[in-house]
Amino acid sequence: IALTSCTAPEQKIIPYLKQPPELTPGVANWYASTCGGCSAGCGTLVKVRDGRPIKLEGNPEHPLSKGGLCPVSHSLIFGLYDSERLQQPAIKGSPATWKEIDEKIVQQLNAVKASGGKVRFLSNTINGPTSQATINAFLSQFKDAKHVVYEPISTSAIRLAHARTYGVEALPYYKFEKAKLAVSFGADFLGTWISPTAFTRGYSQAREVNAVKHEMLRHIQFESCFSLTGANADKRGKIAPAEEGEALLYLAGLVADKSGAVNGLPEGITSYQPNKLSEPSKAAIEKCAEELVREKGSSLVL
């Protein structure tokens, strides 16, 4: 009786009554997918064994990530087996069936359509054109319908900034492998910023020196907190978050003056002198401006 607890639990193996032709017990299948851990949308390969996803790997044929995958994406697989996940749908906290949920939603949507009311569709960032087209087709049935996108860490400010400067509301993709100089202001592009997996691959190519490529990318980082990107920089300057705006305006003015541009400052600003920047920071910005002008056409400011 004392050793009863030491016996292995009994497990029964039940074979398929009608086995799918593409599935062999014990042999894993691989499926191409897209990571939803952030807005980068890296390509993944999902290892599935007996109908259960068990591992994520990077897809080498993906045009952006090219086989790379960050730790966040690798950890997403554990969320599928979280014991605290909802086991079934619920209505006001009470368990319900999918049939009950569907009937209730369809009933309310029909009522909204008849009255011309508002419909809001909430989702995370949609990377696939097919999913976006399906959402648009659904919302087109209603008079007042909007698609609301929410992310815990939003990139909307970057998209809106590019809409104002370039006329296209989109997240930029930087080709580090073609650059000779990269200057970053608080952008942890190797760790968390926009698409670190894709940026890391291009950055590593630009930093590689071999028999064919004799020059490597020079990297200058200005930041307030120590980051993974700052740890890899050739030159790291410490500036407070309140100084970033002044530092950028000062840098833009210096680059415009040194390159002979009419005005490199935002609209309505003809000249700028920083008031909050410390003398070491000003000296670092001035030296950075000289390097940017020298590497004109092959430099990045992030």
Side-chain angles (χ1 to χ4, degrees):
I1 297 176
L3 297 178
T4 302
S5 61
C6 298
T7 58
E10 181 180 347
Q11 295 182 347
K12 296 182 179 180
I13 300 176
I14 303 175
Y16 286 101
L17 294 178
K18 187 176 181 181
Q19 181 175 323
E22 72 278 1
L23 196 150
T24 303
V27 178
N29 291 339
W30 291 85
Y31 298 90
S33 185
T34 304
C35 176
C38 68
S39 58
C42 296
T44 62
L45 294 175
V46 186
K47 185 178 183 180
V48 179
R49 178 172 290 162
D50 299 335
R52 294 180 178 272
I54 59 174
K55 186 75 173 70
L56 289 179
E57 294 290 352
N59 187 350
E61 296 184 8
H62 194 270
L64 295 181
S65 56
K66 298 178 181 178
L69 214 58
C70 69
V72 173
S73 183
H74 279 292
S75 66
L76 289 179
I77 200 73
F78 296 105
L80 298 176
Y81 304 100
D82 186 358
S83 59
E84 296 185 1
R85 287 184 65 184
L86 288 176
Q87 300 299 314
Q88 60 187 16
I91 300 177
K92 295 182 179 181
S94 301
T97 64
W98 285 109
K99 183 178 180 181
E100 293 172 343
I101 288 284
D102 290 342
E103 290 177 351
K104 194 172 185 63
I105 292 176
V106 171
Q107 181 182 0
Q108 293 188 3
L109 286 175
N110 290 334
V112 171
K113 186 187 297 185
S115 63
K118 300 178 180 179
V119 172
R120 299 294 182 264
F121 188 92
L122 177 65
S123 74
N124 57 353
T125 300
I126 303 296
N127 294 309
T130 304
S131 299
Q132 188 63 59
T134 303
I135 294 172
N136 295 338
F138 166 71
L139 295 178
S140 64
Q141 307 174 59
F142 307 96
K143 293 182 179 179
D144 186 358
K146 291 182 180 180
H147 180 199
V148 180
V149 177
Y150 171 79
E151 291 287 353
I153 302 176
S154 176
T155 56
S156 60
I158 301 174
R159 295 198 305 269
L160 293 175
H162 278 259
R164 292 181 60 182
T165 52
Y166 299 103
V168 179
E169 185 177 336
L171 287 176
Y173 176 73
Y174 298 97
K175 297 182 179 180
F176 286 89
E177 63 274 12
K178 295 185 177 182
K180 295 181 180 179
L181 173 65
V183 182
S184 171
F185 285 82
D188 186 17
F189 57 84
L190 297 180
T192 59
W193 195 66
I194 299 184
S195 184
T197 302
F199 293 159
T200 299
R201 184 169 292 275
Y203 181 84
S204 62
Q205 291 178 5
R207 301 278 280 182
E208 182 181 0
V209 177
N210 49 42
V212 179
K213 185 172 173 292
H214 304 288
E215 295 183 5
M216 76 178 216
L217 169 75
R218 175 165 167 77
H219 174 200
I220 303 174
Q221 183 83 5
F222 294 97
E223 60 185 7
S224 57
C225 298
F226 195 62
S227 67
L228 176 63
T229 306
N232 286 273
D234 297 303
K235 176 67 177 178
R236 180 178 178 270
K238 295 182 290 183
I239 58 173
E243 295 178 326
E244 277 193 9
E246 285 205 345
L248 282 165
L249 285 173
Y250 189 43
L251 179 63
L254 289 173
V255 171
D257 292 339
K258 294 178 182 297
S259 60
V262 177
N263 187 16
L265 294 172
E267 186 178 354
I269 303 177
T270 56
S271 62
Y272 186 79
Q273 286 297 326
N275 298 319
K276 297 180 181 179
L277 280 180
S278 63
E279 290 302 321
S281 296
K282 287 179 63 176
I285 294 294
E286 291 168 0
K287 187 176 180 180
C288 179
E290 295 177 358
E291 295 193 46
L292 283 171
V293 173
R294 187 166 59 248
E295 300 295 349
K296 182 180 179 180
S298 58
S299 57
L300 291 172
V301 179
L302 304 99

